[in-house]
Amino acid sequence: MKNISIFGTSSDAGKSTITFVIAKILQDLGVKVAPFKAQNVSNNAFVCDDGSEIAVAQYFQAGVLGVETSYHLNPVLLKSGRGNSASLIVEGKVATNKDVREYYRDLDSLKPAVKRCFEYLDSKYDCVVCEGAGSPVELNLMDKDLSNIFIADEYNTKIILVADIEKGGVFASIYGVYHLLPKKLRKNVIGVIVNKFRGDMTLFDEGVRIIEEDFNIPVLGVLPYIPFNLGFEDSQSLKNYVQNAKESILKVGVIAYPYMSNYNDFEPLIADKNIELEFVEANISLEKFDMIILPGSKLVIKDLRWLKEVGLFDRVLNYKKQILGLCGGYEMMFEELQDNELIENDEETIEKGFSFIDDVICFEKDKTLKKGSYNLFACEIEGFEIHHGQSSKYPLSFEKENIKGTFVHAIFDNDNLRNKIFLEVNKNYKEFNFSKHKQNEIDGFISNLKDRLDVKKIMESINE
């Protein structure tokens, strides 16, 4: 059975969602399937079952499929670093910090890791669905493209194009990408999925005819725009969330600093009709909020300095209602943050924190990567840790009066803890089952799109 590559005809075409939709449809037909992305660029990461670190998109896709998570699903991950550098994570572990130009210059050295991971999955599964990155035909970068051209060429994958009609220029993007692909890969294109269509879909019947008859590219489906508030891969997708706040009784403010990370921590709150969630990016009054959350951060000291520069530091400092810090936000709550190992900064750095907690944070070279069960705020929960900062007095969490903080991510996914926290804020809070909601959303989303896809043609193509 052939493997599949999902290529976008532009960035943000919907490759991540189409990847898990196609993979789940195949799985339901009896195919043993796994998701894969050779290289991802994201500050949003999860800890896997094997204790490694991968991008959230592949972790989420694996969750939809119910397959074990490991670094094989995303062998190369780039995260924001200091200056022009990026934190390079290879096979689930931090390898080094590299200048972006240096990274591209040394790209060939990463290909063995990509091949090891892909071939491992290929040996275990009938079909690997490989998510591409951006556009596959950036001509100046095609020789440096691990996720698209390298995988498709090296392993002769079948290719599905995904085009975002919402952006405009859909015909040019489909025609251009198809004809700029190397001839060998063009022959492997199964067809194109036109994604994010709004309105009366019969209005695109002529468009389908043009693509199929004039371009000679099969159309595998025209998919409607459906809001999907799960699996946020980046800050842009986070800002596009759709929330129904008509029934809300709580206003929660999340301080969205420039290097905010782990946006998925807030998916349960976006889904919860009790809560109106707002991301605060400017120096506004915080008094309208019933609770403030300091989220995770890839560059904690830089984000802490940003809070001071824009004036939000003093607003948080003087806020008297509930404040919750998560990972990087938790670290900001301490008296002092010390980066003597140059983890985030070019020189040894000490920065004053909010001093809500009577200890200091020391950034250590060895990153804590842990997934498992925790006893947190008198609740048994599942979550994960991913941080360089360490506290000797409060290594996991802190709670006193209106201040709560923890290194643990995904705490709101646990209904017991989420319900406890918000009942303390407002006794009229109505308990919400997020796990059930999440499964219903995924099932409904896939079902809606499955009926609009030419599944038969896809199956025939990978069985050739």
Side-chain angles (χ1 to χ4, degrees):
M1 183 173 281
K2 297 286 188 181
N3 298 304
I4 300 174
S5 286
I6 307 292
F7 284 2
T9 64
S10 65
S11 295
D12 199 34
K15 296 182 297 295
S16 295
T17 53
I18 297 300
T19 295
F20 78 72
V21 168
I22 296 291
K24 183 59 177 170
I25 290 170
L26 294 179
Q27 187 184 66
D28 289 345
L29 291 171
V31 179
K32 193 177 180 185
V33 62
F36 176 78
K37 186 164 185 172
Q39 175 214 310
N40 212 329
V41 180
S42 176
N43 283 344
N44 214 10
F46 266 69
V47 177
C48 296
D49 299 327
D50 65 351
S52 64
E53 178 181 359
I54 64 171
V56 65
Q58 283 62 62
Y59 188 92
F60 182 82
Q61 291 158 358
V64 170
L65 298 169
V67 302
E68 65 180 354
T69 54
S70 70
Y71 65 83
H72 301 92
L73 306 179
N74 174 214
V76 179
L77 174 60
L78 283 175
K79 302 176 84 171
S80 298
R82 57 181 186 265
N84 292 321
S85 72
S87 178
L88 176 62
I89 296 158
V90 181
E91 294 181 291
K93 302 295 181 184
V94 176
T96 184
N97 281 303
K98 279 201 171 191
D99 181 273
V100 174
R101 286 172 296 182
E102 184 185 1
Y103 166 78
Y104 280 113
R105 189 186 67 224
D106 299 339
L107 200 70
D108 283 349
S109 66
L110 298 173
K111 289 180 179 178
V114 170
K115 291 176 71 172
R116 277 194 300 271
C117 291
F118 179 88
E119 289 166 13
Y120 170 82
L121 294 176
D122 191 36
S123 69
K124 283 192 66 178
Y125 295 90
D126 302 325
C127 180
V128 182
V129 182
C130 310
E131 181 186 336
S135 163
V137 290
E138 300 299 332
L139 300 182
N140 58 321
L141 297 173
M142 283 174 73
D143 62 333
K144 301 176 178 65
D145 179 359
L146 289 177
S147 295
N148 295 301
I149 302 298
F150 176 68
I151 291 294
D153 183 61
E154 186 77 13
Y155 297 105
N156 201 33
T157 59
K158 290 291 184 178
I159 297 169
I160 294 175
L161 303 179
V162 180
D164 178 2
I165 196 170
E166 190 176 39
K167 290 179 179 173
V170 71
F171 296 106
S173 71
I174 293 169
Y175 186 89
V177 167
Y178 179 77
H179 285 279
L180 287 172
L181 284 173
K183 187 176 180 180
K184 172 188 172 182
L185 300 191
R186 245 179 285 157
K187 292 178 180 178
N188 283 338
V189 173
I190 300 172
V192 61
I193 294 171
V194 178
N195 199 21
K196 303 182 188 177
F197 190 92
R198 294 178 187 259
D200 184 352
M201 298 180 73
T202 63
L203 295 174
F204 198 67
D205 288 349
E206 177 63 9
V208 172
R209 186 202 65 76
I210 290 169
I211 296 167
E212 293 195 325
E213 295 182 13
D214 297 351
F215 295 179
N216 200 29
I217 304 170
V219 175
L220 300 174
V222 180
L223 305 183
Y225 174 83
I226 302 174
F228 188 67
N229 296 330
L230 297 169
F232 293 128
E233 187 172 17
D234 53 34
S235 58
Q236 190 57 48
S237 60
L238 177 69
K239 291 170 185 175
N240 290 334
Y241 74 89
V242 178
Q243 187 175 30
N244 180 3
K246 292 179 183 177
E247 302 173 24
S248 65
I249 59 171
L250 286 166
K251 288 182 73 73
V252 176
V254 177
I255 308 299
Y257 15 77
Y259 294 97
M260 173 182 170
S261 65
N262 291 88
Y263 327 115
N264 306 81
D265 282 340
F266 305 107
E267 288 175 5
L269 307 191
I270 290 171
D272 191 338
K273 292 181 181 179
N274 291 274
I275 294 170
E276 182 180 354
L277 197 70
E278 182 177 329
F279 290 92
V280 179
E281 300 178 286
N283 184 16
I284 64 170
S285 172
L286 304 178
E287 293 311 307
K288 66 178 179 179
F289 298 111
D290 300 296
M291 181 183 200
I292 291 296
I293 300 176
L294 298 169
S297 166
K298 181 62 181 71
L299 296 174
V300 183
I301 290 176
K302 277 193 175 183
D303 279 338
L304 184 54
R305 288 173 173 170
W306 176 83
L307 289 174
K308 295 174 182 178
E309 289 168 8
V310 301
L312 277 170
F313 182 89
D314 288 335
R315 290 195 186 274
V316 174
L317 192 64
N318 295 312
Y319 185 78
K320 301 305 180 187
K321 289 176 272 189
Q322 292 290 317
I323 304 176
L324 172 66
L326 300 175
C327 198
Y330 176 50
E331 294 171 356
M332 293 179 187
M333 291 177 150
F334 285 73
E335 294 172 345
E336 202 171 81
L337 291 80
Q338 301 176 359
D339 184 8
N340 297 322
E341 301 287 348
L342 280 59
I343 301 300
E344 293 189 358
N345 302 275
D346 294 325
E347 57 186 15
E348 291 187 18
T349 302
I350 296 176
E351 189 70 23
K352 185 178 180 348
F354 286 105
S355 298
F356 295 144
I357 304 174
D358 59 325
D359 194 16
V360 300
I361 289 289
C362 297
F363 291 106
E364 298 184 0
K365 283 187 176 180
D366 292 335
K367 181 189 281 190
T368 296
L369 290 172
K370 182 183 175 185
K371 177 185 179 184
S373 300
Y374 297 87
N375 188 305
L376 188 65
F377 308 137
C379 290
E380 293 295 329
I381 70 161
E382 297 294 320
F384 68 93
E385 297 175 67
I386 181 168
H387 54 93
H388 285 282
Q390 303 292 340
S391 162
S392 58
K393 290 178 72 172
Y394 309 103
L396 185 68
S397 64
F398 176 90
E399 181 176 18
K400 185 178 180 181
E401 297 172 349
N402 68 317
I403 301 298
K404 284 187 178 72
T406 181
F407 278 117
V408 182
H409 288 289
I411 66 171
F412 294 129
D413 288 54
N414 297 268
D415 296 334
N416 58 341
L417 180 54
R418 187 186 62 257
N419 293 335
K420 179 178 185 291
I421 287 174
F422 290 110
L423 277 169
E424 289 174 359
V425 177
N426 188 323
K427 66 180 186 332
N428 295 317
Y429 176 83
K430 298 173 185 174
E431 295 188 0
F432 170 60
N433 187 325
F434 176 66
S435 56
K436 182 178 179 180
H437 166 86
K438 182 176 180 178
Q439 193 59 56
N440 288 340
E441 287 291 300
I442 292 169
D443 292 345
F445 186 79
I446 293 171
S447 177
N448 199 323
L449 300 189
K450 178 183 178 181
D451 294 338
R452 303 172 187 272
L453 289 170
D454 191 344
V455 176
K456 181 180 178 183
K457 183 168 182 59
I458 295 171
M459 282 295 292
E460 288 174 348
S461 297
I462 64 175
N463 279 312
E464 287 178 357

